[in-house]
């Protein structure tokens, strides 16, 4: 589809479903948030709901809240409930089915809380939860136990903890989605963090540039710029999210010198085919986002229908490594249930040894030797 067609499509959507909204209103992120779809009746006006979607919305128990911005709804195929973008945000009955091994806090984050809203699993870095709100609620969210309540969150104890632990060099601002905070409030937090001398890197995790690209205003990037080095980990799921509007917001962030990293959850029927993954990873690089992690889907309660077998994930990785620019290849990781952290898994390339040679396999399945004599006495017999 051409950019022209996509943008036209959005304009037609606005005129049809929000006739009172001017282009300017549509382009205001707060308007987008205020006009989110949050009940079945209004969503049914724009999407032809399947029985599974309709029933899930009718008997919605708020286990995982749901909300969809008009902008993102306009990207969904109104006739196809299996449309990838639609499946990321529209509840279905499948999420009521809990499969073996799933739980509401599979990563045991609760046990890694060192101060209110501060998760620490590593010596040098921490995750700071700044809000429990998001623009839309991903059906596979690892933090679904926390999101959507709009609880006031205090940062003071977390900031005090970071201040008194000089070994912490890297703070990940997460949530929820931190870009849901007002620009002023986010600046207050950045200012406080930058005032801590040992904090070197600050990272923000967000899906906003793709759910509500209008959030990335000139005011926002202007505010961010003095707080370098600053990274933004972009939660990206499917190449259809990389619209001209999203592209413009990523360009703004990149032009402001923010390190952009892509994080993608591998999801069945959404992005678990080679063509889609390659298009997404190449698309991210084109927008100056370096694909960083491809996550195996966490065993969060009710996510079985999204999970892809690891063997398939590895096969997909084989189709990326060596076939795409190295810049476009993410690391495939499993966030270890129980709190072991992210563990990289990769297709096997070490085939063994023959005498003094190491046997290694390339991306075409061809074997090579590398001279690598074993040092005597090093190997236990
Ligand atoms: C993902 C994560 C981090 C950051 O890990 P990196 O590999 O440095 O990106 C830090 N703490 C926790 C608890 C995490 O889940
Ligand atoms: S944007 Fe992130 S925190 Fe919010 S629902 Fe999606 S995965 Fe969860």
């Amino acid at each position: 589809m051409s950019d022209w067609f996509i943008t036209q499509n959005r304009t037609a959507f606005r005129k049809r479903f929000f006739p009172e909204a001017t282009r300017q209103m549509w382009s205001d992120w707060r308007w987008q948030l205020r006009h989110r779809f949050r009940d079945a009746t209004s969503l049914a006006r724009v999407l032809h709901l399947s029985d599974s979607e309709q029933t899930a919305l009718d008997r919605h128990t708020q286990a995982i809240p749901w909300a969809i911005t008009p902008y993102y709804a306009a990207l969904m195929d109104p006739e196809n409930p299996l449309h990838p973008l639609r499946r990321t945000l529209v509840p279905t009955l499948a999420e009521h089915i809990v499969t073996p091994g799933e739980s509401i806090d599979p990563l045991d984050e609760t046990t890694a809380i060192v101060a209110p809203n501060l998760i620490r699993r590593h010596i040098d870095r921490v995750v700071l939860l700044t809000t429990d709100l998001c623009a839309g609620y991903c059906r596979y969210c690892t933090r679904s136990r926390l999101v959507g309540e709009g609880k006031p969150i205090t940062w003071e104890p977390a900031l005090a903890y970071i201040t008194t632990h000089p070994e912490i060099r890297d703070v990940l601002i997460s949530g929820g989605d931190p870009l849901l905070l007002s620009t002023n409030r986010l600046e207050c937090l950045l200012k406080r963090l930058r005032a801590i001398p040992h904090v070197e890197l600050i990272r923000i995790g967000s899906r906003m540039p793709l759910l509500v690209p209008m959030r990335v205003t000139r005011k926002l990037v202007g505010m961010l710029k003095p707080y370098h080095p600053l990274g933004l980990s972009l939660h990206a799921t499917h190449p259809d999210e990389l619209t001209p509007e999203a592209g413009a917001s990523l360009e703004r962030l990149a032009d402001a010198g923010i390190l952009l990293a892509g994080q993608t959850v591998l999801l069945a029927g959404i992005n678990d085919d080679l063509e889609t993954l390659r298009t997404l990873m190449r698309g991210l690089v084109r927008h100056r986002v370096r694909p960083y992690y491809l996550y195996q889907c966490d065993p969060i309660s009710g996510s079985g229908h999204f999970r892809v077998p690891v063997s398939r994930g590895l096969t997909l990785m084989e189709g990326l490594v060596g076939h795409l620019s190295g810049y476009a290849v993410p690391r495939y990781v499993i966030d270890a249930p129980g709190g072991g952290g992210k563990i990289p898994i990769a297709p096997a390339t070490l085939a063994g040894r023959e005498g003094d040679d190491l046997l290694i396999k390339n991306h075409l399945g061809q074997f090579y030797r590398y001279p690598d004599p074993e040092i005597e006495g090093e190997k236990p017999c």
Side-chain angles (χ1 to χ4, degrees):
M1 275 190 285
S2 73
D3 283 1
W4 177 84
F5 178 80
I6 296 170
T7 316
Q8 279 303 299
N9 212 14
R10 218 108 64 244
T11 306
F13 184 96
R14 167 171 60 85
K15 290 190 168 155
R16 180 161 167 213
F17 298 113
F18 297 93
E20 79 295 352
T22 60
R23 202 189 165 88
Q24 208 177 4
M25 288 153 82
W26 174 271
S27 307
D28 173 350
W29 66 281
R30 294 193 181 273
W31 184 94
Q32 287 284 337
L33 293 179
R34 274 199 307 274
H35 290 83
R36 280 180 294 178
F37 295 98
R38 308 199 80 157
D39 65 84
T41 318
S42 51
L43 189 62
R45 281 174 56 228
V46 298
L47 299 180
H48 184 202
L49 297 177
S50 69
D51 289 346
S52 172
E53 289 170 329
Q54 184 75 57
T55 317
L57 290 165
D58 286 346
R59 63 154 111 138
H60 197 65
T61 53
Q62 301 294 319
I64 312 182
W66 74 274
I68 301 169
T69 57
Y71 162 83
Y72 202 77
L75 300 178
M76 294 178 180
D77 181 341
E79 298 304 327
N80 180 10
L82 297 180
H83 181 248
L85 303 199
R86 188 158 157 173
R87 290 194 55 219
T88 70
L89 291 190
V90 181
T92 63
L93 282 181
E95 62 191 58
H96 292 260
I97 302 166
V98 177
T99 54
E102 292 181 343
S103 72
I104 56 159
D105 181 14
L107 307 182
D108 254 342
E109 286 191 328
T110 314
T111 60
I113 301 263
V114 290
N117 305 306
L118 194 68
I119 303 172
R120 185 181 192 190
R121 271 206 209 296
H122 305 92
I123 291 290
D124 71 331
R125 53 209 190 277
V126 286
V127 174
L128 175 58
L129 306 178
T130 53
T131 169
D132 65 9
L133 298 175
C134 299
Y137 296 95
C138 314
R139 308 325 293 164
Y140 47 84
C141 173
T142 295
R143 302 232 173 92
S144 51
R145 69 185 186 285
L146 299 175
V147 294
E149 288 176 26
K151 277 191 304 221
I153 286 190
T154 163
W155 304 331
E156 292 308 323
L159 289 168
Y161 181 93
I162 298 168
T163 306
T164 52
H165 289 78
E167 66 282 11
I168 296 173
R169 282 192 290 252
D170 178 1
V171 178
L172 283 77
I173 303 179
S174 182
D177 197 318
L179 290 189
L180 230 67
L181 299 170
S182 71
T183 305
N184 287 342
R185 194 150 154 72
L186 187 58
E187 176 162 29
C188 288
L189 177 62
L190 292 174
K191 200 176 273 174
R192 298 283 302 277
L193 286 171
R194 266 290 158 249
I196 305 172
H198 52 268
V199 171
E200 291 170 10
L201 178 64
I202 302 175
R203 301 189 251 176
I204 298 171
S206 180
R207 199 182 170 194
M208 285 284 267
L210 304 184
L211 287 185
V212 201
M214 329 42 194
R215 172 64 185 102
V216 185
T217 56
R218 279 180 218 292
K219 182 179 168 206
L220 176 73
V221 292
M223 181 282 279
L224 294 173
K225 237 177 147 168
Y227 298 100
H228 279 314
L230 205 57
L232 187 135
S233 296
L234 179 75
H235 173 171
T237 298
H238 191 276
D240 284 2
E241 295 178 325
L242 300 174
T243 62
E245 293 97 314
S249 79
L250 296 173
E251 183 173 338
R252 236 172 231 182
L253 291 163
D255 283 351
I258 294 160
L259 297 164
L260 298 176
Q263 313 208 73
T264 300
V265 182
L266 184 61
L267 297 166
I270 292 180
N271 57 23
D272 68 332
D273 65 279
L274 198 50
E275 188 52 37
T276 304
L277 270 187
R278 284 182 172 171
T279 310
L280 174 62
M281 299 308 160
R282 287 205 320 260
L284 288 171
V285 171
R286 227 171 28 246
H287 289 292
R288 296 188 275 167
V289 182
R290 167 79 163 91
Y292 181 47
Y293 283 138
L294 177 68
Y295 291 100
Q296 176 66 14
C297 182
D298 292 331
I300 186 82
S301 300
S303 64
H305 57 300
F306 283 127
R307 220 149 19 250
V308 176
V310 173
S311 58
R312 180 158 169 69
L314 284 170
T315 305
L316 288 165
M317 282 304 293
E318 279 178 352
L320 300 182
V321 180
H323 299 272
L324 295 187
S325 326
Y327 266 33
V329 181
R331 249 184 307 168
Y332 182 33
V333 292
I334 299 181
D335 216 330
K342 297 173 190 72
I343 302 180
I345 43 175
T349 50
L350 283 181
R353 355 186 102 251
E354 234 173 62
D356 280 349
D357 289 344
L358 191 67
L359 295 182
I360 46 180
K361 190 174 79 167
N362 78 355
H363 63 290
L364 300 173
Q366 299 156 334
F367 289 88
Y368 292 83
R369 290 167 180 277
Y370 178 83
D372 182 44
E374 279 176 305
I375 299 165
E376 224 165 307
E378 271 219 337
K379 217 177 84 175
C381 61

